[in-house]
Amino acid sequence: MIRDLSPSHPAYLRAVRASAWYDLVVTSGFATPWTYTLVHDALSSWTDALGLGVMPELDPMQTLYANLMGSVVVVWALLRITRPLPVHGLYDGIARVLFAAWQTYAVTHGATGLLWVFLAVEVTFGVVQLLPWWRARKEPLVAPYGAHTP
């Protein structure tokens, strides 16, 4: 249960790893121009069929930004899968707050309604990863630079 969870609890690291697996599955298709074209075409078909708006036409700059985001998120996800640490959950939770803010901005400015699905996941993983830190806020969030932990 989340109220019994602290950043040092093994269940917290499982949540960090679960969020990483989600990120890896969802963003790996954004990491290359060739896979992004396939993902873009699939998302365009889904949003059109579901009446959630249309995806913008592909262009080189959109593809570049999608590839940059996909590449960074894939590497970040692999780190959290192979070596999850409590501080990774803290930083990932902060990143999810930022992602949720930009997704909210995009969807309220005409982007496809499909973003609401991704926004819900971002908020959920953000709360799961940040709430234990907020509850343990009397303790230092991270060890001071240069401090060694056992």
Side-chain angles (χ1 to χ4, degrees):
M1 185 175 235
I2 208 166
R3 70 182 156 164
D4 297 331
L5 195 60
S6 73
S8 61
H9 195 282
Y12 182 78
L13 296 181
R14 286 192 295 274
V16 171
R17 189 176 275 133
S19 75
W21 276 110
Y22 165 80
D23 287 347
L24 185 64
V25 169
V26 169
T27 60
S28 60
F30 289 78
T32 73
W34 308 279
T35 54
Y36 179 61
T37 299
L38 298 173
V39 169
H40 183 276
D41 290 347
L43 289 174
S44 294
S45 295
W46 295 342
T47 57
D48 188 37
L50 296 171
L52 295 173
V54 294
M55 296 286 291
E57 291 297 317
L58 274 177
D59 67 49
M61 287 305 293
Q62 177 195 124
T63 301
L64 170 66
Y65 283 114
N67 297 158
L68 291 172
M69 182 272 307
S71 298
V72 169
V73 174
V74 164
V75 171
W76 174 238
L78 291 172
L79 172 68
R80 290 177 292 132
I81 289 167
T82 59
R83 187 171 163 91
L85 297 172
V87 72
H88 294 162
L90 172 64
Y91 288 120
D92 191 60
I94 293 167
R96 289 184 188 282
V97 169
L98 294 170
F99 269 58
W102 309 147
Q103 288 172 342
T104 301
Y105 177 86
V107 79
T108 58
H109 285 82
T112 173
L114 184 61
L115 280 178
W116 287 112
V117 175
F118 297 105
L119 176 62
V121 176
E122 292 298 326
V123 169
T124 300
F125 275 128
V127 168
V128 166
Q129 292 181 116
L130 291 176
L131 189 59
W133 286 94
W134 184 79
R135 289 189 171 150
R137 66 192 177 280
K138 292 182 178 106
E139 303 168 20
L141 292 180
V142 293
Y145 182 74
H148 297 284
T149 55

